[in-house]
């Protein structure tokens, strides 16, 4: 069973505390469509996937939504509209806000201003590689050289 937008957002957050504010302005466009101008504001607490630090991501998203009765109507919408379906003729604002927040979360959360992340100690990065490094293709290389020498002697 697929996760709801709330469950997906819940898994991405480092903290589930906080609030989201939203405003919705309703209108009807020139073609008679119900339109919602939705703005969502929140501060999301995420974990940086590079440094594992916790950081806050301020979010402010605006969307222009056209209310459609079924999913097939969205194909007829101009591209500047996002489609939103009703449930029993009603808009579920909790779902709309959660979807907007989910869209605001980056695919890979990275703390703003984070410089290059180095894994391991600085000494280990500066040290030359060990002499006995495993070289998986060394055997293949020697076999190819041997084969090349044998074919050269056969052709002479």
């Amino acid at each position: 069973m697929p996760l709801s937008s709330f469950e997906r957002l819940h898994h991405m957050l480092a903290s589930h505390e906080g609030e989201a504010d939203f405003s919705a302005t309703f209108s009807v466009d020139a073609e008679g469509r119900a339109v919602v101008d939705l703005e969502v504001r929140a501060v999301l607490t995420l974990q940086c996937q590079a440094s594992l630090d916790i950081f806050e991501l301020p979010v402010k998203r605006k969307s222009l939504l056209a209310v459609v009765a079924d999913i097939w109507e969205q194909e007829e919408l101009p591209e500047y509209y996002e489609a939103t379906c009703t449930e029993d003729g009603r808009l579920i604002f909790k779902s709309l806000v959660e979807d907007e927040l989910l869209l605001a979360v980056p695919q890979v959360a990275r703390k703003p201003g984070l410089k290059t992340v180095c894994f391991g100690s600085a000494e280990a990065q500066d040290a030359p590689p060990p002499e006995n490094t495993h070289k998986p293709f060394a055997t293949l290389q020697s076999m190819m050289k041997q084969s090349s020498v044998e074919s050269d002697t056969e052709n002479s």
Side-chain angles (χ1 to χ4, degrees), residues 139-150:
T139 304
L140 178 61
Q141 183 178 10
S142 67
M143 289 171 59
M144 288 176 65
K145 283 182 182 176
Q146 174 115 11
S147 174
S148 175
V149 169
E150 289 174 2

Side-chain angles (χ1 to χ4, degrees), residues 97-144:
V97 170
E98 289 168 354
D99 287 345
E100 290 300 313
L101 293 175
L102 185 60
L103 289 170
V105 174
Q107 195 170 25
V108 177
R110 186 172 172 90
K111 185 177 177 179
L114 184 67
K115 301 288 189 235
T116 303
V117 177
C118 298
F119 297 97
S121 66
E123 297 85 28
Q125 292 178 8
D126 293 337
E131 291 289 327
N132 60 355
T133 301
H134 178 67
K135 298 179 181 174
F137 296 105
T139 304
L140 178 61
Q141 183 178 10
S142 67
M143 289 171 59
M144 288 176 65

Side-chain angles (χ1 to χ4, degrees), residues 7-48:
E7 291 169 324
R8 286 191 306 258
L9 182 61
H10 186 75
H11 289 305
M12 295 177 164
L13 298 175
S15 171
H16 304 117
E17 300 297 318
E19 296 180 7
D21 295 319
F22 75 94
S23 64
T25 306
F26 300 89
S27 61
V28 177
D29 71 2
E31 295 179 17
R33 290 184 195 93
V35 176
V36 181
D37 189 358
L38 180 67
E39 183 175 333
V40 177
R41 296 165 304 281
V43 176
L44 303 177
T45 305
L46 304 173
Q47 184 173 30
C48 176

Side-chain angles (χ1 to χ4, degrees), residues 40-84:
V40 177
R41 296 165 304 281
V43 176
L44 303 177
T45 305
L46 304 173
Q47 184 173 30
C48 176
Q49 298 303 296
S51 67
L52 301 179
D53 292 338
I54 303 298
F55 70 99
E56 291 185 338
L57 177 70
V59 171
K60 182 178 180 182
R61 284 192 50 91
K62 289 187 77 158
S63 295
L64 190 57
L65 308 171
V67 180
V68 295
D70 62 55
I71 199 74
W72 305 111
E73 286 183 49
Q74 79 178 10
E75 293 176 13
E76 300 170 13
L77 292 176
E79 63 183 41
Y80 49 85
Y81 285 131
E82 293 293 326
T84 186

